[in-house]
């Protein structure tokens, strides 16, 4: 007979699983991490794991969602302050997200594992994350002026700036300046 967990136990176990996943992905690829490692760290059985997540990819996706909230927080704060030109606001918001990513110690996970994990999650299950991302972009677009292009095209242009984040270390100290140039070019086309 399956063990029933109280709401408090479910919450505590979910937190332990996420914390375990976070620790393990700092050390190795998500692909190499086993459900057995995760459950041993969280103090639950393998069978109990599947009462929380249908697969380890779903757990790692939950970690990505948690990271999104952590990374978008500083970026949203800067966008809400509305200081400077739209291009400068975008640049500062992305750089704030980069700092939060670096401080998390999860750069490798974000840059290397996340694309594979997203492919493993059915699109309908990713909808909430996409809506959260869209809300950030929509807020920026509505506060920055009248769009010259359809909003969907503008959102895709903004997404292209996010795609530069994995290149920031290769670009080194030039990254903020290059990001600003790109943001200026995109904003000139959008507003």
């Amino acid at each position: 007979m399956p063990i029933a967990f109280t709401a408090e136990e479910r919450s505590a176990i979910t937190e332990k699983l996420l914390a375990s996943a976070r620790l393990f992905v700092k050390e190795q690829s998500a692909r190499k991490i086993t459900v057995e490692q995760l459950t041993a760290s969280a103090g639950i059985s393998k069978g109990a794991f599947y009462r929380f997540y249908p697969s380890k990819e779903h757990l790692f996706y939950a970690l990505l969602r948690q990271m999104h909230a952590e990374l978008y927080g500083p970026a949203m704060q800067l966008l809400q302050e509305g200081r400077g030109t739209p291009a400068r606001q975008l640049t500062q918001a992305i750089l704030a997200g980069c700092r939060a990513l670096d401080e998390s110690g999860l750069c490798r996970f974000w840059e290397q594992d996340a694309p594979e994990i997203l492919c493993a999650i059915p699109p309908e299950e990713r909808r909430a994350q996409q809506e959260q991302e869209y809300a950030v972009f929509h807020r920026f677009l509505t506060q920055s002026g009248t769009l010259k292009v359809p909003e969907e095209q503008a959102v895709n242009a903004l997404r292209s700036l996010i795609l530069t984040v994995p290149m920031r270390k290769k670009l080194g100290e030039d990254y903020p300046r290059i990001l600003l140039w790109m943001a200026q070019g995109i904003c000139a086309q959008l507003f």
Side-chain angles (χ1 to χ4, degrees):
M1 178 176 219
I3 298 172
F5 296 106
T6 66
E8 295 81 20
E9 289 171 328
R10 288 190 70 74
S11 178
I13 291 169
T14 299
E15 286 179 32
K16 284 182 187 177
L17 285 169
L18 284 166
S20 296
R22 186 178 285 259
L23 287 173
F24 284 121
V25 297
K26 286 182 180 181
E27 303 295 322
Q28 62 185 325
S29 167
R31 187 180 318 137
K32 294 182 180 179
I33 298 167
T34 66
V35 171
E36 289 82 3
Q37 287 174 295
L38 294 163
T39 57
S41 180
I44 62 170
S45 70
K46 187 175 177 181
F49 174 87
Y50 293 105
R51 297 192 70 208
F52 290 84
Y53 297 99
S55 69
K56 72 175 185 175
E57 289 78 17
H58 281 81
L59 170 61
F60 292 126
Y61 179 65
L63 177 59
L64 280 173
R65 296 277 320 274
Q66 190 179 67
M67 287 178 66
H68 264 188
E70 294 167 8
L71 300 178
Y72 284 148
M76 280 301 292
Q77 179 65 38
L78 285 168
L79 290 176
Q80 287 172 343
E81 292 172 6
R83 295 184 187 155
T85 65
R88 233 176 241 298
Q89 288 178 40
L90 270 177
T91 301
Q92 293 306 313
I94 292 170
L95 292 174
C98 289
R99 282 190 295 280
L101 180 59
D102 291 340
E103 290 167 7
S104 75
L106 296 169
C107 290
R108 191 206 53 72
F109 173 69
W110 182 267
E111 294 168 1
Q112 295 174 16
D113 292 338
E116 190 174 314
I117 290 163
L118 289 172
C119 287
I121 302 297
E124 59 276 3
E125 293 182 39
R126 294 192 315 250
R127 200 167 325 282
Q129 175 219 347
Q130 292 164 338
E131 289 170 2
Q132 179 187 31
E133 182 181 86
Y134 177 80
V136 173
F137 294 144
H138 179 75
R139 176 172 285 172
F140 170 75
L141 292 171
T142 56
Q143 77 183 30
S144 296
T146 305
L147 282 173
K148 295 189 234 177
V149 300
E151 188 169 305
E152 184 177 338
Q153 186 178 6
V155 167
N156 286 333
L158 296 177
R159 277 193 184 110
S160 73
L161 291 174
I162 304 298
L163 295 174
T164 68
V165 171
M167 296 299 299
R168 72 189 187 288
K169 290 183 177 144
K170 288 181 183 174
L171 296 171
E173 63 187 41
D174 290 332
Y175 177 66
R177 189 172 31 258
I178 292 168
L179 181 61
L180 178 60
W181 292 337
M182 292 175 68
Q184 288 170 331
I186 287 172
C187 287
Q189 297 298 310
L190 297 182
F191 305 107

